Amino acid sequence: MGKAIVLRKYGDTDQLKLEDIEVKKPNKDELLLKQTAIAVHFHDIYVRTGLYKTLTLPGIPGLEAVGVVEEIGKDVSDFSPGDKVGYIDRNYGAYATHRVIKKKLCFKVPDFISDEIIATNFSRAITVQMLMEMVTQVKASDTILITAVTGGVGKIFAQWAKSKGVRVIGTVGSKEKEVLGKSFGCDYTLTYDQPNFIDEILDITNGKGVDKVFDSVGKDTFENSLKSVSTCGHIINFGQSSGPIEPIEMSLLASKSLTISRPIIFDYISETETYNKMAQSVFHAFKNGNIKTPTLTPFNLQDANLAHDMLESRKGGGSIFLKT
Ligand SMILES: NC(=O)c1ccc[n+]([C@@H]2O[C@H](COP(=O)([O-])OP(=O)(O)OC[C@H]3O[C@@H](n4cnc5c(N)ncnc54)[C@H](OP(=O)(O)O)[C@@H]3O)[C@@H](O)[C@H]2O)c1
């Protein structure tokens, strides 16, 4: 018998309740994991409240975790009992002590990196890898704009881009966060709502605008993203923390010969070979110190409600995870 947080009704954090679950045998292409660290992301809050109706109720929330393989399906040859593995699963189910999971979604975690760091930051880091090395090739000669630079993805992005010699402008929600943005490698920081935002961008770039914009805030920042990008520039929208972007006219792109991308990580990691190469790039970035070890905040699995309270307060707390 295992334990899991089961959501039976959308609502406040008191809907996150611990229940007994049956631990099933893995099918032929599956692994049974005893989980050690489970990520708590902002996305999980939207799932809990019902803003995203992407989890069928009753259901177990959670997208990402690390665990040790206890049993393998009969067709599995590339994983063995005792291996430490991580996964991201868009179909949820991570808030649990045990997990049966398709081996296609799993990757081996190297010994030099902790379960907690990978559980909390792998999807963020592989998203950055996708954005910088697959959706576009970020070069040392580039000046880039990253929105929400002190968020989970943003801080990894700023550090990793800086390690490539890129000039980084980061935007933040408040003046206080500007210092934090600089500590993650931003050359310049701006608040979204400062009145001279575009003048500052043009000043920094000698009137040209930035080569690439990486916008995860969406609705509230997209207009400035369009104004900030250079002629023949590239805007990559990869999130909508403030809400979805209104439909746009193609002629708007023609005004500066712009490219716009809207990538989703799950499409980029659907092929095992590519997934493994992307994962190796992430592990190297951690190993070489291109991404600093984040502050980790643990909660017990049964206290998932407290973990959500902390995340929702937006008061920090670092990378929040559940331990089993
Ligand atoms: N496309 C993909 O495949 C992919 C993959 C991973 C993540 N994402 C998306 O990327 C975004 C960032 O992820 P993350 O893990 O870095 O999230 P996070 O740690 O929660 O950071 C989000 C940041 O967005 C800013 N923000 C601005 N308006 C906001 C609002 N109305 N509500 C909440 N936050 C707001 C906040 O910074 P300030 O307080 O400074 O404004 C916050 O730090 C999310 O939208 C996520 O869904 C997309």
Side-chain angles (χ1 to χ4, degrees):
M1 193 67 87
K3 299 265 183 203
I5 296 289
V6 180
L7 187 70
R8 293 190 171 271
K9 222 171 83 183
Y10 301 121
D12 292 335
T13 51
D14 57 1
Q15 297 301 330
L16 297 169
K17 292 187 184 118
L18 194 70
E19 295 188 14
D20 289 335
I21 51 158
E22 184 197 342
V23 179
K24 297 201 172 114
K25 288 259 170 215
N27 281 326
K28 57 183 182 177
D29 59 345
E30 291 178 333
L31 311 175
L32 167 63
L33 308 183
K34 167 79 184 69
Q35 303 205 111
T36 52
I38 303 149
V40 178
H41 290 306
F42 224 91
H43 180 102
D44 306 350
I45 293 174
Y46 298 145
V47 168
R48 188 202 78 227
T49 57
L51 180 68
Y52 293 169
K53 299 227 166 24
T54 39
L55 171 69
T56 309
L57 302 191
I60 301 172
L63 292 164
E64 183 171 24
V66 169
V68 177
V69 178
E70 284 205 330
E71 217 178 311
I72 57 172
K74 70 176 175 49
D75 288 356
V76 175
S77 55
D78 40 357
F79 291 92
S80 310
D83 282 349
K84 186 165 79 165
V85 303
Y87 68 83
I88 319 173
D89 185 358
R90 72 198 313 177
N91 293 315
Y92 307 104
Y95 285 18
T97 54
H98 296 77
R99 183 75 202 273
V100 171
I101 183 103
K102 292 249 178 277
K103 69 145 198 171
K104 188 175 189 292
L105 302 175
C106 297
F107 55 86
K108 285 186 192 166
V109 178
D111 286 337
F112 68 84
I113 191 156
S114 78
D115 299 16
E116 296 79 21
I117 289 173
I118 288 300
T120 49
N121 283 284
F122 181 79
S123 67
R124 291 167 172 162
I126 204 163
T127 297
V128 172
Q129 194 278 343
M130 166 189 82
L131 296 168
M132 279 204 301
E133 298 180 355
M134 303 196 64
V135 178
T136 175
Q137 267 72 48
V138 171
K139 309 185 293 288
S141 57
D142 283 342
T143 300
I144 66 171
L145 175 65
I146 305 172
T147 65
V149 82
T150 59
V153 174
K155 56 192 167 203
I156 291 178
F157 203 159
Q159 294 174 64
W160 201 345
K162 199 65 219 156
S163 76
K164 288 177 183 270
V166 176
R167 199 153 67 132
V168 179
I169 309 173
T171 63
V172 288
S174 63
K175 274 266 162 225
E176 302 76 67
K177 288 189 181 174
E178 291 203 43
V179 179
L180 199 57
K182 294 235 169 71
S183 76
F184 294 121
C186 288
D187 298 282
Y188 307 89
T189 49
L190 302 171
T191 54
Y192 310 119
D193 56 355
Q194 68 181 70
N196 59 345
F197 188 96
I198 302 302
D199 292 340
E200 289 280 342
I201 296 278
L202 293 176
D203 208 32
I204 294 165
T205 57
N206 295 326
K208 179 175 168 245
V210 298
D211 300 290
K212 288 155 188 138
V213 180
F214 297 90
D215 187 339
S216 67
V217 175
K219 186 168 171 276
D220 289 354
T221 50
F222 196 66
E223 194 180 325
N224 268 351
S225 295
L226 275 170
K227 288 182 184 160
S228 302
V229 74
S230 65
T231 300
C232 298
H234 192 166
I235 300 177
I236 300 95
N237 168 245
F238 66 99
Q240 48 180 38
S241 298
S242 66
I245 296 164
E246 295 290 322
I248 55 169
E249 300 273 350
M250 286 300 277
S251 55
L252 203 60
L253 307 189
S255 68
K256 285 202 273 189
S257 296
L258 299 178
T259 302
I260 297 197
S261 303
R262 194 8 176 144
I264 299 284
I265 188 64
F266 295 107
D267 293 326
Y268 281 79
I269 61 174
S270 60
E271 297 294 331
T272 303
E273 201 179 322
T274 312
Y275 189 15
N276 284 334
K277 276 194 193 144
M278 292 169 75
Q280 289 311 317
S281 177
V282 167
F283 298 145
H284 280 133
F286 276 108
K287 192 166 192 183
N288 299 340
N290 297 337
I291 309 171
K292 285 184 223 136
T293 309
T295 315
L296 295 163
T297 307
F299 286 88
N300 291 320
L301 178 64
Q302 63 265 33
D303 297 328
N305 58 326
L306 302 180
H308 275 224
D309 284 339
M310 176 176 260
L311 189 59
E312 221 164 358
S313 72
R314 280 173 81 179
K315 289 203 179 102
S319 295
I320 298 174
F321 71 97
L322 305 173
K323 54 195 173 86
T324 58

